[in-house]
Amino acid sequence: MHEMSIAQSLVDIIKEEMDKHNVTKLIKVKVKYGQISAIVPEALETAFQVMTVGTRMEGAKLETEEVPLRAKCRNCSKEFSPQEDDLLIMTCPFCETEFGHEIISGKELYIEEIEAE
Ligand SMILES: [Zn+2]
């Protein structure tokens, strides 16, 4: 379960941001994760809650939002969204090229918003 190490990185980043802005209580953090980043949001939330007990982040709400997969065809350069059950072979809907497309989004993980006081 790699959510533990991801949660740890989130905690580190949030802590740094809170220090920078001189705030003492975390209210909410919003995280966006890619459709193929292999994140289980429930596991990430649980890891985050466990890890923040006794800190300024305890009780904060962790919101997650999935970023859909977008690919760019290597042949015709058009962008498309492959279906979830189609991730191994991503057929371009425009020219039907099947392999070698560039992934534009869907692998990322980042903090979009931190709310604190
Ligand atoms: Zn194409």
Side-chain angles (χ1 to χ4, degrees):
M1 177 171 128
H2 68 153
E3 280 81 3
M4 276 316 255
S5 57
I6 294 167
Q8 184 61 58
S9 317
L10 291 177
V11 165
D12 291 344
I13 296 167
I14 295 165
K15 186 173 175 293
E16 212 168 276
E17 286 299 312
M18 288 179 76
D19 288 343
K20 214 185 283 175
H21 295 98
N22 216 9
V23 289
T24 51
K25 186 175 165 47
L26 181 69
I27 297 164
K28 193 178 92 177
V29 56
K30 187 170 175 185
V31 172
K32 285 200 166 188
Y33 66 97
Q35 191 181 343
I36 54 168
S37 62
I39 305 275
V40 180
E42 292 78 15
L44 185 60
E45 278 164 44
T46 304
F48 182 80
Q49 305 303 350
V50 168
M51 227 169 257
T52 53
V53 170
T55 73
R56 294 174 292 173
M57 297 164 227
E58 182 171 4
K61 190 169 162 41
L62 180 73
E63 269 182 25
T64 51
E65 189 183 321
E66 189 181 88
V67 180
L69 183 62
R70 293 283 294 166
K72 187 176 178 182
C73 177
R74 73 179 166 110
N75 183 47
C76 69
S77 293
K78 287 191 174 131
E79 289 182 19
F80 62 99
S81 290
Q83 297 307 304
E84 192 143 3
D85 55 0
D86 196 26
L87 291 183
L88 287 177
I89 303 173
M90 301 188 291
T91 309
C92 171
F94 303 101
C95 71
E96 292 181 352
T97 297
E98 288 180 339
F99 300 105
H101 307 307
E102 181 192 346
I103 303 294
I104 300 168
S105 69
K107 287 197 290 194
E108 62 272 82
L109 175 85
Y110 60 91
I111 297 174
E112 188 181 62
E113 203 185 311
I114 294 175
E115 204 180 307
E117 57 179 30

